Structures are given as C-alpha cells and as structure tokens.
C-alpha cells in the first residue's frame, strides 16, 4: 500500500515582493508562500548561492500567475527558459539534483 509523504516544515515564509531570488535558508525545509499578483522567482547559480544537492524548496502560488526564472548556465527539468506555475493555489517543488541543475514537479508548465 502506498502512503503519501508527510512533510514537516521549519517555517512558512510569506513573500509579497514582485521578484525574489532564492536564498540558502529557503532550502532548509521552509515553505514559501508568494502573495504578489505575478511574482518572478529566480533560481541563482551555484556561484551566487550554493544549495546542497538534494535541497528541496516548496513554492505556493497564491495568485493565478507565477514565473520561475532560469538564468544562463542553469538547467531546470533538462532545459532552459522560464517556467510558469500552471494553477492558482498550486505547489511547485524545486529539487537540486546536481551543480546548477534543478528539477521541478507539481503545478508547473514548461517554457
């Protein structure tokens, strides 16, 4: 029988800024709620913020639009370009799998 994973978060962080660059603390089992109308979330290169491989960042999309910005030198789901949240109140899980390489799952649409 399959059991859904249970996540326990250190804290819920509400962010109202129009743009936000992920910080190291965000990968420490925190849950990020974005309340701005159309926020842009940037995943930084390892040279700026070196998240440990295996870091997971949970992003809650409160409004109808959300963008995950993928800069030059970074790979998300095997590609480049900006991704968008695909559902209001959806959750996107960002997981670092290698240097400058991330995977996203949940309510996300490819560029």
């Amino acid at each position: 029988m399959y059991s859904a994973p249970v996540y326990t978060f250190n804290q819920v962080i509400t962010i109202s800024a129009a743009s936000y660059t992920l910080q190291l603390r965000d990968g420490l089992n925190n849950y990020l709620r974005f309340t701005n109308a159309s926020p842009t979330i940037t995943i930084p290169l390892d040279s700026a913020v070196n998240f440990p491989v295996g870091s997971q960042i949970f992003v809650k999309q409160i409004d109808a639009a959300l963008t995950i910005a993928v800069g030059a030198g970074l790979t998300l789901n095997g590609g480049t370009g900006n991704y968008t949240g695909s559902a209001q109140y959806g959750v996107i899980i960002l997981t670092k799998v290698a240097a400058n390489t991330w995977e996203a799952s949940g309510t996300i649409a490819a560029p």
Side-chain angles (χ1 to χ4, degrees), residues 43-82:
I43 303 173
L45 291 170
D46 285 358
S47 59
V49 179
N50 194 3
F51 291 95
V53 170
S55 293
Q56 287 191 312
I57 300 172
F58 292 75
V59 175
K60 176 74 171 181
Q61 176 181 344
I62 300 300
D63 197 35
L66 179 138
T67 300
I68 305 288
V70 179
L74 194 98
T75 301
L76 179 62
N77 286 352
T80 58
N82 294 341

Side-chain angles (χ1 to χ4, degrees), residues 3-107:
S3 295
V6 176
Y7 295 100
T8 303
F9 299 103
N10 288 331
Q11 60 182 322
V12 174
I13 302 170
T14 300
I15 299 166
S16 60
S19 63
Y20 182 78
T21 299
L22 295 176
Q23 303 171 32
L24 191 57
R25 71 169 186 171
D26 300 331
L28 300 175
N29 210 29
N30 292 324
Y31 183 87
L32 307 180
R33 289 179 75 244
F34 287 87
T35 59
N36 187 282
S38 299
T40 297
I41 302 156
T42 301
I43 303 173
L45 291 170
D46 285 358
S47 59
V49 179
N50 194 3
F51 291 95
V53 170
S55 293
Q56 287 191 312
I57 300 172
F58 292 75
V59 175
K60 176 74 171 181
Q61 176 181 344
I62 300 300
D63 197 35
L66 179 138
T67 300
I68 305 288
V70 179
L74 194 98
T75 301
L76 179 62
N77 286 352
T80 58
N82 294 341
Y83 285 67
T84 56
S86 60
Q88 185 173 14
Y89 301 109
V91 175
I92 299 167
I93 303 170
L94 301 171
T95 304
K96 184 174 179 183
V97 295
N100 292 313
T101 305
W102 291 77
E103 291 179 351
S105 59
T107 54

